[in-house]
Amino acid sequence: MRRLLLTTLVLAAVGCAGTDENAAAPTVIPPELATAITPPAADPPPPPPVMQRPGRTGVAKKMNAATVYAYEPDRVYPVTVSPGRITVLQLGAGEEISRQPVIGDPDPSRWMVDLTRGANDAVVVRSGKPGLATNMLITTTAGDYQVDITSRARGGMDRVRWTYPAPAMPAAKVRPQPAFDPNTFSRSFEIDVPSGDTPRWKPEYVIEAAGKTYIAFPPRLGPMAASPALFTVGEGGKTAIPFRIRNRFYEVDTPITTAELQLDGATVRIRRTS
């Protein structure tokens, strides 16, 4: 009998503890809002620089009548010319030749070098006879090109040009986001339509969290041709408020006291109640 009475008392105590009505209710955050206010992940770090292929000279690719090199600093580019024909060294878009190219063998009877100016500056090379070899330095507003030139009876290149690596973009700066504090979670807002019919896009609720204001539109609203404009209302009149769209929410970076949403003649007013 004593054991049965003790068991009954223990179960009664456990039952009372499990149904304590005075316990503080947890703050419930709508899952969609929790997703919306989650700070965006930082951009991934940029990829490591591409390692240059070891060696002295660049590797050419043939594209139609052009011989194409990938531009790399400190690389030498072989160029083949033939007597009686010109070879055009085409520079990058907007790149300008800074000075007359310097050629290792300046004898004009053996080598002829001309410049053309335009949207793409170019160097035109001709040889006087086969079996010659020299080198040349081209200095431009973007860098230097060193070419090894060989003259052969046949097989001279018609045109030589370069491709260039994409410029390195600076890493995007990620604005620090304040930590979400459930204690700042507030739904103390009133939503009404001052006049006319209620638009189908009337917000369901407004929440202030983490120092920002979130306006929740109906989840089954569907696509709209335009988004309602948002204005703050004060003694000086109405002022447009910048916002960003996150899921079905407008996210505003500041608290709102009184504001209006307007679209196609319909107006919805939002007012803080506390």
Side-chain angles (χ1 to χ4, degrees):
M1 182 65 180
R2 181 177 301 173
R3 180 178 299 174
L4 177 61
L5 178 61
L6 180 60
T7 303
T8 303
L9 292 175
V10 170
L11 291 175
V14 172
C16 292
T19 59
D20 185 2
E21 296 180 356
N22 296 324
T27 301
V28 179
I29 304 172
E32 287 181 293
L33 178 62
T35 301
I37 66 178
T38 300
D43 291 340
V50 178
M51 299 299 294
Q52 292 188 5
R53 179 188 57 83
R56 174 177 179 271
T57 60
V59 176
K61 294 183 179 180
K62 196 70 175 179
M63 295 184 65
N64 300 326
T67 301
V68 182
Y69 288 104
Y71 181 82
E72 297 177 71
D74 306 322
R75 190 76 75 184
V76 177
Y77 306 97
V79 174
T80 302
V81 301
S82 295
R85 301 182 63 85
I86 64 171
T87 296
V88 180
L89 310 183
Q90 186 75 61
L91 303 177
E95 194 171 0
E96 299 179 0
I97 298 173
S98 303
R99 62 180 183 178
Q100 182 70 25
V102 180
I103 190 167
D105 181 359
D107 186 343
S109 66
R110 296 159 63 89
W111 300 101
M112 289 139 280
V113 178
D114 297 310
L115 306 181
T116 63
R117 305 283 186 176
N120 295 75
D121 284 6
V123 179
V124 180
V125 182
R126 293 175 288 174
S127 67
K129 62 180 183 179
L132 303 176
T134 188
N135 62 352
M136 181 171 61
L137 176 65
I138 305 170
T139 302
T140 75
T141 53
D144 294 332
Y145 300 78
Q146 185 169 338
V147 295
D148 281 354
I149 309 174
T150 303
S151 176
R152 297 178 181 174
R154 298 178 183 178
M157 299 174 179
D158 296 301
R159 180 177 294 268
V160 178
R161 63 181 179 86
W162 286 263
T163 59
Y164 305 89
M169 299 297 293
K173 294 183 178 179
V174 179
R175 185 174 60 181
Q177 298 287 329
F180 177 68
D181 181 3
N183 295 322
T184 66
F185 184 82
S186 171
R187 284 198 186 191
S188 301
F189 292 91
E190 182 180 80
I191 304 172
D192 64 81
V193 179
S195 61
D197 297 333
T198 299
R200 66 186 185 91
W201 48 263
K202 177 187 175 184
E204 288 189 327
Y205 57 86
V206 178
I207 287 177
E208 184 178 302
K212 297 184 179 182
T213 303
Y214 295 86
I215 303 173
F217 291 92
R220 293 180 175 82
L221 183 59
M224 296 178 60
S227 299
L230 180 62
F231 301 90
T232 181
V233 181
E235 295 181 357
K238 299 179 182 179
T239 305
I241 307 175
F243 60 87
R244 66 185 63 87
I245 298 175
R246 292 189 182 276
N247 300 336
R248 64 186 181 100
F249 295 88
Y250 275 9
E251 181 185 65
V252 183
D253 288 336
T254 57
I256 287 178
T257 301
T258 304
E260 287 185 355
L261 290 159
Q262 296 181 357
L263 178 64
D264 296 334
T267 299
V268 173
R269 181 172 298 152
I270 300 170
R271 186 174 62 85
R272 182 190 293 274
T273 57
S274 63

